[in-house]
Every structure is written in C-alpha cells, then in structure tokens.
Amino acid sequence: MAGKTDFGPPFYKDLLPPVILKNYGQWKYHERVKPGVLKHVAESGDELYTIRVGSGRLVSTDWIRDVCGIADQFCGGHLRFTSRHNLEFLVSDKNQVEPLIAHLNKEGYAVGGTGHAISNPVHTQGWIHCHTPATDASGIVKAVMDDLYEYFADSKLPAYCRISLACCLNMCGAVHCSDIAILGIHRKPPHVNHDTVRAKCEIPNVIAACPTGAIRPDPKEKSLTVNEDKCMYCGNCYTMCPGMPLADPIGDGVSIWVGGKISSARTPPKFSRLVIPFLPNNPPRWPEVTSAVRNIVEIWATHAHKHERMGEWIDRIGWERFFDLTGIPFTVQLIDDFTLASETFRSTPTFKW
Amino acid sequence: MAKDSKTPLLDQLEEGPWPSFVTEIKRAAEKKDSAKDLLHQLERSYMDRIGHWKHGGIVGVKGYGGGVIGRYSDLPEEFPAVAEFHTLRVNMPSGWFYTTEKLRELCDVWDKHGSGLTNMHGATGDIILLGAPTNALQPCFDDLAEIGFDLGGSGSDMRTPSCCVGPGRCEYACIDTLDLLHSVTMEFQDELHRPMFPYKSKIKISGCPNDCVASVARSDFSVIGTWRDSIRVDSGEVTNYANEGMDIQAEVVDLCPTGCMKWDAGAKKLSIDDGECNRCMHCINLMPKALRPGKEKGATILVGGKAPIVRGALLSWVIVPFMKMEPPYTEFKELVRKIWEWWDENGKMRERLGELINRLGMRAFLKAVDLPPVPQMIRAPRANPYYFWDPEEVK
C-alpha cells in the first residue's frame, strides 16, 4: 500500500464498544461512584462504568500491551484515553467493576483523577525529546504527583484542580489556563553564534520573530545582534534560528502560575497568573517545585469554599491576601510589563492589608 | 528493573506511587538500543541540567510536508542510537477510543520500526511515536497506512484537530463532537498534511461549555456546544438531590453567575428564569440527574485562542453565537475556509489568527468574513473614542 496518502484516522465508530454504539448520544446522566469511577446511565437503562487510571504519558509498547490485556479480560477489548493522558477502562457489566479495580490495585496502577481531585497533569516533552526546553517535563510531573498522590487517588478538594506543565514558553498544551501551571523559563539572552546564523538562518524572519524588537542586523558579521536590555528570553528567535541558543544550567528553571481555568462554569475562562518567577532546576526530584505546589494546593484547599476553583477563590479574597496566606514573596517580576500590562494595575484604593 | 547503575538520578524516579516514565524507558531499553541511549542521554541532561537535542532538521515521508518532527542528539558519538531520533505524529481516532486489536497492530508496527516508546497522547492529541532513524520513517508510515493509521499535522499547517468524548459517553454533549471531528479531519486532509499557512492553525471541539479539550485556550477555532432553549428539569430528581444532602441554595443557586434560579426550600422546588441563564453548566454539573441542557442544540464558534508565542497568549473570542452543527457541517467548513483565506492573505510569517485580528482589528476581520456584529461578541463596548467610519456610511 506504499504511496497511499490522505486517508485519515481510523473511523471512530469502528472502535466504540457495543454499549456506546447502542446508546450513542442517548446518555441520560452520570454519577461519581467513588474516586476513579464514573457511572453513566443511558435512556435505555444501560449502564457504563468508567475506571480512570493515570499514566505517565510516556509509555512503552509493553505497557500498551499490558493494558490491552486488562481491557480484554474486563472490558471486551475496548479502552480509551482522555485529553489529560489518563487511561479509561470502559465496563458495561457492573459485576466486573470491583474485580477490575482489585486487579489494577494489585498491579500498581494509579486509579483516581475524577471529581474534586487533581487530575493527570498535562505536560510536554522536556529534556526527553524537545530541542527548546528550559526544564524537564516528565521528571517534575512524576515528582509533583508522587508528592500529591493522595489528591489524585481521593476526591477531597474543594473543586477540580488542574495542574499542567510546559517546558518552555511555546507551551504545548493549555498550561496558561490551569489552576497551577509549572512553566520552564530561561533567564539569559541568546548567545549568538555568528557562523550558524550566517549558514542556517533567515535574518529578517529572526528579527520579525522577536516580540520586543530586541534583535537587529549585525552588518559587520552578516549576522544578528541582541539588545540584551530588551530581551525577555522567550526563545522564539532560537525556534527560528539554531544560531541563537539560550539554554543554560544556571539561567534555566521553573516558574509557577496559578488561578487559570478553562471551563465556563460559574466564571469565564481565565489565564493563570505568575506567583513564583523562578525556582531552580534541581533534578531528579525538584524539591523546591514540589513543596511550592503542595503549599499552594493546601492553602487553597483549607480556605476555599466548596466548588470554588483556585482562581475563583483568589478573586474572592484578593491577590494581596493570596500572597499573605501562602507566604510567597511578592517580587517585581510579578508586575506585568508586556503589551496589556496596564489592565492588571489597580485603580482603586479598595484593597486589603 | 533498576539494574542499570549508569542512571543513578533517573533511578530515583522509579520510586513513588505515580507511574514512572523511567520504568517505561527501561522496559523499551531491554529490546531497543535507541531506548537505552535515550535513557543514558536523559541521565546526562539530569546531570548537566540542560537538554541534549539539536535544532530540528527536515525529514518526512513521501507526499507529506508535515507529520514528522526531525530530532538529532547533540552527543551522537556518545549516544549513537539516538543520533537520529525522529517523532511521528499519528492521527488519533475521534475521542481516543480504541480496540485492543487496533492498539496491538500499532504496537507491532512501532516495535518493528522505532524505539518502542510512545506518548498516549501528545498535547495536540496525536499518538506520538517517539524515536526512529531517518531511514525507518517511510517504511514505518507504509506499515501504519497498512493498518489504517495516517499521520497528523506539524509545522505551518492545520494541526491534528481534537475533540472531547462527546455523545460517546457524555450526557452534556450538545453536538456530535466525534463525528464533527472526523468529518473536519477528512475534509481538510490537504491542509493537515501540507504546510502552507503563515503558521499553525488549530481546531478543537468541545461538546459543552465545560470545554474538556481546552479549546478556548489553545485553538484558533474553538467549537463549543451549547443550546438556545430551556434547561430540562426533572423536579423529582431535584428533590432527590436535596434529600440526599445537597444544599441547593448554597451550592447551586448562590453560585449561579446570573442569579436566574430560585429555590423554595419548603416546597423543595427549583425554578429557573431561562431567559436570563447564560448556560455556564454549573447547576447541570452539580445535578446531572435532575438538570440537562435544552433540546435546541448547536455550537458557539470562537476564534483566536493560542499560547504566548509570539505576541502573548489569547483566549478565543466569540464570532458566531450559535450555529447548528449537523452533517455534513457545510456552514462551519465554509466559515473555516473563508477565515483561512483571509489569514493566509494578510498574516505575516508566524502570526496566528488571533494576533492578526488584533493587528488589523476585529472590524476588518468581521467585514472580510462577512459576519454581523452582535453584542454576544464582546464583554463591553469600547471605552475610547478612536473609531472608524466607512465613507459610504457618512452621507
């Protein structure tokens, strides 16, 4: 069949379990049976149980074969994945639910992530396979979720909590609208390699790629020069041109953003806001990051009302109170100075001490 | 499995309750040298605190301009098996539903040609096959085609669109997300496989305003299911929620953003002024057995969402408050084509749709794509007096 193109993905209806084909679009309601388990009931009365399992996102074909074996045993050979890298076993026979969970627990799978829990963090490739990372992705996620596992396995938070990680400002994935976003950042301007710039880069495109106008032609070198005072290390020039690397073991690290959301429930979607401008890359377990994230989660969980997402809680109490309660120091980096900065400045003397 | 003493840092990430990606790399490393070198190069990154992948490089398969991401180690002498370690993005089926048979076929192909490592799934939604040398790409794609898996998007093309579980399992679904996704993906195969735009373009489809695929934050075209008539209420089930301990006044009514609900605690009766409801989903999320979206369903179309690069992150903006979404989805597809045409004509290199609308103005955009201005598009009218008139209007 060599040479065949544009035939598209497998047709989804060929892959749906019989209970879904029968009740497609005819679901009536659902219940959260217990952490990690959803029950959907159709107009026909048919029931579908979903058992959600966290995955590390980076998985081997052996792992896929393992979970296929489980799906054959308990789910008639059907399974699905979620938009947050979870695996879901779909069970139409209620009697199989508890044996499946017992089997998953015995084999060490992470059952949870439903309801008022921390779901599987969306994340990127990091040092494993990306050429522009400012930090690793899978390693931090592993360390953070080992630490917060109780909040994945149980459903005991005031509301959903979505943690996401992107290893650079490109932000593959929607980390900029997460309850807690972990974002890799650089802190040093690119180091211009004139030979590489001359050989491999389209100079006008690199200049145009800079959001702050920090890059200018260097006619003498037939290359580029960076106005370091204007550079905020986004790395877009490096994406355009391999002669502008800016990764650096001391300069690179992690920033923490909070209070974003995607859903329109109660309040409109909103961006996460910067609260910690830099934490060092400290592999393999990034202890500064794990403790910062745990602190924010627990202060929110202690003070928020029921159903109040991180950002809704902060909107109610005010950012000054957020910094007060979390003990996070407020630094000048947290005050915006990009294009829409003034929208974030306060124009009223009504605030808290 | 921690026999490999060359990775003392990564070995520490095999401890703990969360699934370990290190264990997964080690499993693949038992069969594949490339996975073993990946592990060792990653350990080096953990020591050096820096990545060890070189800047891209154009690789691909015959007939396509996208779908494969070139990746080369910057330490090829030390880690020769990952000197070339390219990614294939494989277009996932709608809703990420699989049969085990289909997944095993995929594993067989990937074990034959690549590292045996995958992401299930990548951030855009594709199946990511992580790591194959250049000469394996075409044979791998040929074998993928044999089992019915095509490549997804990369570069300046339509990226692989994605959708939520929709009518497959969710009673909130106001549109057939799975079918719409498949139809759109098939309609735009050329745009998906052959980069020809100013930059990437993303389409994401959610069945309701809960937006489980984060379309509003990360897609140029966000399709979000909604309804126009009244929330369907099962009064008996409302009473049951109250009897089972839900504080309907505090948890539902007081949190309604529009104040359109009233709860009569004595009579255990909920009333909704549907004309004032903005369909945020909060009450339905809390009482799915009692409350359901209305019956006149469709989608709100929003455009312009993106992550920060280049000129800052944007959330998508409403441009069509309500559109019926029924096969073959002609109205939606025509709108997408019209918007792409305007963007393609006016967009600078690496300028996403939202950034172009910001640069040229929503006024120019609405005129170009022939959409009427309506108050549902804005949070507030302008607060400055700097606006334009078409000379034709001043007569």
Side-chain angles (χ1 to χ4, degrees):
Chain A
M1 210 183 284
K4 186 179 152 191
T5 61
D6 299 299
F7 48 92
F11 186 51
Y12 63 98
K13 282 213 164 156
D14 296 339
L15 303 169
L16 298 175
V19 64
I20 288 183
L21 275 175
K22 182 183 163 201
N23 298 289
Y24 191 86
Q26 300 298 319
W27 298 102
K28 195 173 174 196
Y29 68 88
H30 77 279
E31 294 171 4
R32 296 176 194 155
V33 179
K34 60 181 188 178
V37 183
L38 303 172
K39 172 187 170 184
H40 286 81
V41 180
E43 300 278 8
S44 67
D46 288 352
E47 295 178 348
L48 173 64
Y49 291 84
T50 298
I51 289 81
R52 184 173 293 173
V53 167
S55 95
R57 179 176 182 266
L58 175 61
V59 294
S60 65
T61 48
D62 286 350
W63 182 88
I64 297 174
R65 290 176 203 278
D66 288 347
V67 300
C68 283
I70 298 170
D72 283 344
Q73 190 181 340
F74 295 94
C75 315
H78 289 272
L79 51 79
R80 79 173 286 265
F81 293 84
T82 73
S83 57
R84 301 188 72 87
H85 319 311
N86 294 298
L87 169 65
E88 289 185 337
F89 292 103
L90 306 168
V91 183
S92 49
D93 175 3
K94 187 180 179 180
N95 296 321
Q96 292 281 24
V97 172
E98 286 306 323
L100 169 58
I101 294 172
H103 181 82
L104 292 168
N105 288 335
K106 182 167 69 79
E107 298 289 322
Y109 289 91
V111 177
T114 59
H116 289 179
I118 295 177
S119 191
N120 200 343
V122 167
H123 63 278
T124 57
Q125 299 289 22
W127 292 334
I128 285 174
H129 206 236
C130 182
H131 68 298
T132 66
T135 188
D136 191 34
S138 302
I140 300 181
V141 166
K142 165 75 175 148
V144 166
M145 289 309 284
D146 278 344
D147 187 53
L148 295 176
Y149 188 71
E150 62 188 294
Y151 297 112
F152 175 85
D154 207 346
S155 183
K156 59 182 182 182
L157 292 167
Y160 299 105
C161 183
R162 303 282 188 247
I163 300 179
S164 307
L165 182 147
C167 53
C168 83
L169 273 59
N170 272 311
M171 286 194 191
C172 309
V175 319
H176 55 302
C177 295
S178 307
D179 295 280
I180 301 179
I182 304 166
L183 175 67
I185 58 155
H186 305 289
R187 292 185 302 165
K188 292 187 178 184
H191 176 77
V192 184
N193 180 325
H194 294 306
D195 290 337
T196 313
V197 172
R198 277 190 296 267
K200 295 196 169 166
C201 306
E202 302 263 359
I203 285 179
N205 288 343
V206 186
I207 292 170
C210 179
T212 62
I215 302 174
R216 310 205 81 81
D218 179 345
K220 202 174 80 195
E221 292 281 356
K222 294 199 170 80
S223 172
L224 294 162
T225 178
V226 178
N227 178 346
E228 299 198 348
D229 290 341
K230 286 170 98 175
C231 173
M232 42 65 176
Y233 337 107
C234 73
N236 200 35
C237 57
Y238 180 64
T239 301
M240 298 300 290
C241 169
M244 313 279 286
L246 66 170
D248 180 275
I250 301 297
D252 294 355
V254 166
S255 57
I256 307 288
W257 308 63
V258 308
K261 73 194 273 279
I262 295 291
S263 143
S264 288
R266 300 171 301 283
T267 52
K270 51 184 140 210
F271 289 126
S272 313
R273 303 285 173 172
L274 180 65
V275 294
I276 302 178
F278 183 79
L279 295 169
N281 274 330
N282 195 358
R285 283 201 169 267
W286 280 266
E288 295 86 353
V289 178
T290 57
S291 71
V293 172
R294 174 172 276 273
N295 177 44
I296 293 166
V297 168
E298 295 197 325
I299 295 287
W300 164 67
T302 305
H303 291 86
H305 294 164
K306 200 171 177 186
H307 307 300
E308 200 168 46
R309 294 277 295 266
M310 181 83 67
E312 294 169 316
W313 166 64
I314 297 169
D315 281 349
R316 177 168 59 82
I317 64 167
W319 283 99
E320 62 274 35
R321 183 66 74 235
F322 170 85
F323 286 101
D324 175 33
L325 288 171
T326 56
I328 296 172
F330 191 87
T331 71
V332 73
Q333 285 86 5
L334 310 186
I335 300 179
D336 195 355
D337 45 23
F338 195 53
T339 48
L340 300 172
S342 61
E343 285 188 5
T344 65
F345 302 158
R346 194 192 299 266
S347 302
T348 156
T350 52
F351 47 79
K352 300 177 187 176
W353 300 111
Chain B
M1 205 165 291
K3 288 176 197 157
D4 194 337
S5 60
K6 288 181 189 166
T7 57
L9 293 174
L10 289 172
D11 289 354
Q12 296 176 48
L13 291 174
E14 290 199 277
E15 309 292 324
W18 191 248
S20 171
F21 68 99
V22 175
T23 302
E24 292 302 313
I25 302 176
K26 286 187 177 181
R27 291 179 83 180
E30 287 180 10
K31 288 180 279 190
K32 298 282 186 172
D33 286 345
S34 60
K36 193 185 282 180
D37 273 2
L38 178 74
L39 185 72
H40 292 158
Q41 180 177 304
L42 186 62
E43 179 76 10
R44 173 66 78 83
S45 282
Y46 271 52
M47 289 191 290
D48 297 348
R49 304 184 178 199
I50 202 165
H52 279 297
W53 297 102
K54 273 200 283 202
H55 209 276
I58 295 177
V59 288
V61 299
K62 267 181 260 167
Y64 287 177
V68 186
I69 319 295
R71 195 64 80 225
Y72 301 86
S73 170
D74 73 2
L75 301 167
E77 280 87 26
E78 280 174 77
F79 307 112
V82 292
E84 298 167 356
F85 199 67
H86 312 311
T87 298
L88 291 114
R89 289 187 184 161
V90 177
N91 197 340
M92 73 296 185
S94 288
W96 301 285
F97 282 96
Y98 296 95
T99 59
T100 54
E101 183 191 359
K102 203 82 197 157
L103 279 176
R104 286 195 182 95
E105 287 174 1
L106 189 69
C107 290
D108 289 343
V109 170
W110 190 231
D111 282 340
K112 181 175 162 194
H113 296 287
S115 69
L117 288 168
T118 75
N119 293 140
M120 299 298 281
H121 296 75
T124 303
D126 297 282
I127 302 160
I128 303 295
L129 301 180
L130 203 63
T134 311
N135 63 15
L137 296 173
Q138 188 67 44
C140 184
F141 175 58
D142 293 341
D143 283 353
L144 286 170
E146 207 61 59
I147 59 167
F149 280 100
D150 202 344
L151 295 189
S154 70
S156 295
D157 62 7
M158 178 183 81
R159 297 297 180 84
T160 307
S162 71
C163 72
C164 70
V165 70
R169 195 195 51 202
C170 186
E171 70 273 20
Y172 301 158
C174 294
I175 52 175
D176 189 341
T177 57
L178 303 176
D179 190 59
L180 174 60
L181 177 72
H182 193 77
S183 178
V184 163
T185 306
M186 296 310 290
E187 175 84 12
F188 298 127
Q189 284 288 299
D190 196 26
E191 288 81 357
L192 176 65
H193 289 132
R194 290 165 201 92
M196 53 188 141
F197 290 143
Y199 199 13
K200 65 182 103 172
S201 183
K202 299 189 175 186
I203 301 175
K204 293 192 189 291
I205 303 163
S206 283
C208 82
N210 285 327
D211 196 4
C212 286
V213 287
S215 72
V216 78
R218 55 186 190 140
S219 56
D220 303 86
F221 297 87
S222 317
V223 181
I224 300 180
T226 191
W227 66 96
R228 276 221 291 218
D229 51 348
S230 301
I231 292 176
R232 286 178 283 168
V233 183
D234 182 331
S235 306
E237 291 294 350
V238 175
T239 307
N240 286 342
Y241 276 107
N243 291 342
E244 284 161 20
M246 183 178 285
D247 183 343
I248 291 183
Q249 182 65 43
E251 294 187 50
V252 182
V253 174
D254 291 350
L255 295 179
C256 170
T258 66
C260 72
M261 311 183 98
K262 282 204 172 70
W263 173 239
D264 181 337
K268 291 192 176 158
K269 183 158 172 42
L270 183 73
S271 52
I272 306 176
D273 180 358
D274 278 281
E276 296 307 308
C277 168
N278 68 2
R279 304 170 315 285
C280 83
M281 293 298 292
H282 172 73
C283 60
I284 297 176
N285 288 338
L286 254 67
M287 301 195 288
K289 232 170 166 171
L291 305 179
R292 308 168 76 183
K295 286 183 165 172
E296 194 191 345
K297 294 170 177 175
T300 299
I301 314 295
L302 308 89
V303 300
K306 61 181 285 294
I309 300 293
V310 177
R311 301 202 175 274
L314 299 171
L315 291 165
S316 287
W317 307 304
V318 172
I319 59 156
V320 180
F322 189 83
M323 185 186 279
K324 279 271 175 204
M325 280 288 167
E326 277 150 16
Y329 313 106
T330 310
E331 189 183 359
F332 176 67
K333 290 170 183 170
E334 281 177 359
L335 179 65
V336 171
R337 280 197 198 282
K338 206 190 276 186
I339 292 174
W340 273 341
E341 212 168 281
W342 178 75
W343 173 52
D344 208 19
E345 201 159 291
N346 296 282
K348 294 180 186 171
M349 192 179 174
R350 287 170 69 69
E351 186 173 49
R352 295 277 290 273
L353 177 61
E355 290 164 320
L356 177 63
I357 294 174
N358 264 344
R359 180 164 65 83
L360 297 186
M362 185 59 93
R363 169 176 166 268
F365 170 76
L366 293 177
K367 190 176 178 192
V369 301
D370 198 21
L371 287 171
V374 292
Q376 284 80 5
M377 291 176 176
I378 56 165
R379 282 191 290 153
R382 74 167 71 226
N384 62 69
Y386 304 140
Y387 49 94
F388 297 92
W389 292 99
D390 188 328
E392 288 301 305
E393 291 172 294
V394 192
K395 276 182 178 167

